[in-house]
Amino acid sequence: MKAVLKSLHGRVFGLADDDSVVAAKGLRVGDFPRQILVPSPLHVAHFDHFVGQALSSAWGVAKGSDAGAANFSTHVALNGTIRGTTGAGATTTMAVNGVQVSGALNFEADSGNLQFGCRVKLAAVTTVAIFVGLTDQTAALEMPINGAGGGDGFTSTATDAVGFLFDTTMTNAHWWGVGVANDVDAVGQDSGIAPVAAAYDDLFIQVDANGNAGFFLNGKPVGTLMQSAVTKSVPLAPVIAAFRRSAASTTIDADYLGAGGNVV
């Protein structure tokens, strides 16, 4: 082992002789800190680049009642992406204009090494709300966390969730790190960076065994370690959830999406 690396959020890694980065219980791949766990007897990992003709059955999709909403599906022409389309209803809620893709509830913070990653692009960055992260239910269409309709507060629908939120109703309409643990909202963290229409953002989250979370945007840490971001013992699933806050559809593309952690 050549060296020990430590991220801003306290994650400890070793650097092997071939310069690969290894975690305490196995191997990670990718550019630090945008790395994923390699599936193994020590790790459970669900990571998808969406290469193929159809969305895997490992992912669940849901959409609002408006006729303009379209479920996330593989967009072959864009070289391994999925696309969802929000509704365009006059009732600007998740139930009407929402769209969602989610995995299974396979991940818990207390297993150790919990992480989430996604590369996402919005066609429009006006009158829209989107949450990208981990949530505690996948049975129904739900916006886990969204803006409270004014100021920089937010409202959590999920009992437990942690992720990045962009909501144009907030005074500072940027990517925010947000979390809720057993119905108690953590203090949101403003990255100071807003998404750009038709441009991808890399969103990564690391959650320690106590449910504290660190956020990384486009490869750089943002904010500080969020205390009690999520309940450590609650099963979580990766999710993208969004809805349009105006009577006009827009698309959301994801180039990859996944989560990983240690096997209990």
Side-chain angles (χ1 to χ4, degrees):
M1 190 71 69
K2 292 173 61 176
V4 174
L5 309 177
K6 189 172 183 179
S7 78
L8 176 66
H9 298 300
R11 310 298 293 172
V12 178
F13 308 92
L15 191 64
D17 291 338
D18 63 357
D19 292 327
S20 62
V21 178
V22 294
K25 293 184 67 176
L27 179 67
R28 294 171 181 262
V29 295
D31 298 329
F32 182 82
R34 291 175 288 184
Q35 296 177 318
I36 61 168
L37 293 167
V38 175
S40 74
L42 295 175
H43 297 149
V44 57
H46 183 197
F47 183 88
D48 203 332
H49 250 307
F50 306 117
V51 176
Q53 295 184 352
L55 186 63
S56 164
S57 61
W59 298 103
V61 294
K63 62 185 178 68
S65 60
D66 184 74
N71 279 323
F72 278 96
S73 61
T74 302
H75 200 72
V76 178
L78 294 183
N79 190 27
T81 64
I82 54 171
R83 170 171 289 180
T85 305
T86 70
T91 303
T92 57
T93 63
M94 188 69 176
V96 175
N97 285 347
V99 64
Q100 173 181 304
V101 59
S102 57
L105 300 168
N106 292 142
F107 307 97
E108 291 184 17
D110 58 5
S111 298
N113 270 329
L114 177 59
Q115 60 182 43
F116 167 89
C118 181
R119 187 168 182 250
V120 67
K121 176 174 68 176
L122 301 170
V125 293
T126 56
T127 60
V128 67
I130 181 170
F131 175 91
V132 184
L134 298 161
T135 191
D136 61 0
Q137 79 84 33
T138 60
L141 182 69
E142 178 183 89
M143 187 70 173
I145 301 174
N146 60 265
D152 284 331
F154 59 87
T155 299
S156 54
T157 303
T159 302
D160 278 274
V162 59
F164 281 91
L165 169 68
F166 172 67
D167 193 330
T168 53
T169 64
M170 299 175 75
T171 300
N172 292 292
H174 304 139
W175 284 116
W176 282 71
V178 294
V180 56
N182 194 26
D183 275 332
V184 177
D185 296 338
V187 177
Q189 299 191 10
D190 184 1
S191 73
I193 299 171
V196 175
Y200 276 109
D201 280 317
D202 273 299
L203 309 174
F204 262 70
I205 306 164
Q206 294 176 340
V207 186
D208 69 22
N210 291 314
N212 308 312
F215 300 89
F216 296 83
L217 177 57
N218 295 324
K220 297 180 179 179
V222 291
T224 59
L225 188 69
M226 178 180 285
Q227 302 294 320
S228 300
V230 71
T231 304
K232 65 181 182 179
S233 59
V234 170
L236 301 170
V239 67
I240 301 171
F243 68 97
R244 198 70 195 267
R245 290 188 176 276
S246 63
S249 291
T250 192
T251 59
I252 299 100
D253 294 343
D255 181 48
Y256 58 78
L257 174 63
N262 292 345
V263 173
V264 177

